[in-house]
């Protein structure tokens, strides 16, 4: 799948550098030509000989070879590469990338690279969570660097938390997705709903849920990277899409989301993904002033909100695809299949709050896709970015069958 592609791999000083050997082997197996550039610190964790053997190319660590004076041109490397992957990317290197510091060959190559860049962070959990590291990654994302989020698990320090470099198989899958997706949805329009809604009880209080918008934002970003014109109807989500060009329509209540989603869909949507956690009920008579506590029990009457999925399903275009989400706690598969049929969707994504690492606010998800034709596909626990890539792969396939 990667035959003829040029991948430049940058390796920094991290215990996760040993995983770079597996990345190289997998890339070569897929047909890619791989060149490796290492920092001086990286050589303490894995030898250039190992990587040269696997990549079948000399390893580059310095600006020139002191033996013969041969110059290793960072400009030429940046022009040669179709993709520059930095894995592992240490906190030190991420900070230098964000602030334009060029004190080694890996960094000067980054600053002169014309190709897309990916970075897979690896560090201890406190370093990863530190505001300085998070700010560096935010800066790089804003400049177009694709950050492959660190995974959670046992770290070299003996602690357990987020900071592990993502596994080589996942990283290579992201690379394959990158090369396969370029422009595949150009000219297509996509609509995604995101985040929670808030249903006012009074001017101070509201009914809502724990949705962060992470899953919907990952889907919107994946659609945008493949060239789609993406509109996101978003409740008050903590996470927003990061890809440039994604249009956001902000709403608060379920009623507002209903009206905005139907209006956007009626403008024309080739791909529609209903990912928002919309309130099923709203207060019948919200108070116009703050309700004061008087020691008595308060009863709140709730009425159903408008059904966005049913409204979209009732006007579903034959030349487009509609996908929904079902977050369940009990009878998960039966409830998801029932929703798929009742709401007239092409596919539904089931995830359960009973699966560790899945659901609201997490960076990972464990899902099963169910399709109108009776097929299904279960995914293991993966990052939400990888779930989004798999979901959009299936949506593209369905769209091609319309």
């Amino acid at each position: 799948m990667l035959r003829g592609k040029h991948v430049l791999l940058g390796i920094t000083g991290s215990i996760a550098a040993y995983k770079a050997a597996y990345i190289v082997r997998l890339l070569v197996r897929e047909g890619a030509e791989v060149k490796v550039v290492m920092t001086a610190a990286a050589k303490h964790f894995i030898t250039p000989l190992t990587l040269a053997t696997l990549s079948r190319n000399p390893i580059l660590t310095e600006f020139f070879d002191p033996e013969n004076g041969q110059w290793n041109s960072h400009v030429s490397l940046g022009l040669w590469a179709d993709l520059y992957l930095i894995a592992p990317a240490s906190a030190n290197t991420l900070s230098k990338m964000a602030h334009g510091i060029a004190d080694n060959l890996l960094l000067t190559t980054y600053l002169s690279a014309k190709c897309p860049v990916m970075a897979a962070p690896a560090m201890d959990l406190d370093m990863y969570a530190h505001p300085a590291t998070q700010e560096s990654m935010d800066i790089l994302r804003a400049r177009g660097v694709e950050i492959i989020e660190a995974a959670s698990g046992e770290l070299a320090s003996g602690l357990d938390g987020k900071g592990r470099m993502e596994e080589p198989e996942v990283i290579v899958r992201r690379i394959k997705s990158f090369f396969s997706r370029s422009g595949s949805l150009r000219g297509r329009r996509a609509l995604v709903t995101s985040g929670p809604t808030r249903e006012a009880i009074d001017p101070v209080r509201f009914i809502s849920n724990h949705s962060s918008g992470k899953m919907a934002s990952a889907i919107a970003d994946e659609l945008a990277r493949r060239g789609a014109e993406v509109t996101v109807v978003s409740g008050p989500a903590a996470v927003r899409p990061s890809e440039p060009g994604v249009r956001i329509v902000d709403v608060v209540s379920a009623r507002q989301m209903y009206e905005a989603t139907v209006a956007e869909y009626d403008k024309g949507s080739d791909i529609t993904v209903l990912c928002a956690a919309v309130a099923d009920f709203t207060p019948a008579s919200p108070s116009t002033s703050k309700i004061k506590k008087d020691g008595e029990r308060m009863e709140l009457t709730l009425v159903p909100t408008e059904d966005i999925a049913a409204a979209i399903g009732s006007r579903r275009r034959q030349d487009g695809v509609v996908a929904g989400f079902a977050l369940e706690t009990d009878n998960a598969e039966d409830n998801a299949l029932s929703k798929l049929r009742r709401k007239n969707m092409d596919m539904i994504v089931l995830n359960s709050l009973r699966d560790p690492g899945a659901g609201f606010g997490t960076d990972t998800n464990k899902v099963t896709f169910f399709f109108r034709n009776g097929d299904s596909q279960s995914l293991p626990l993966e990052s939400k970015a990888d779930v989004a890539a798999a979901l959009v792969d299936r949506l593209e396939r369905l769209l091609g069958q319309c």
Side-chain angles (χ1 to χ4, degrees), residues 326-330 332 349-360 365-368:
L327 179 63
E328 303 291 344
T329 58
D330 302 290
V349 183
L350 168 65
N351 59 322
S352 172
L353 283 177
R354 299 196 184 282
D355 289 324
F360 293 137
N365 213 349
K366 184 179 180 181
V367 304
T368 300

Side-chain angles (χ1 to χ4, degrees), residues 68-89:
N68 57 26
Q70 179 178 329
W71 177 253
N72 294 322
S73 170
H74 57 91
V75 175
S76 297
L77 283 172
L79 291 172
W80 173 84
D82 296 310
L83 176 70
Y84 189 7
L85 168 68
I86 301 172

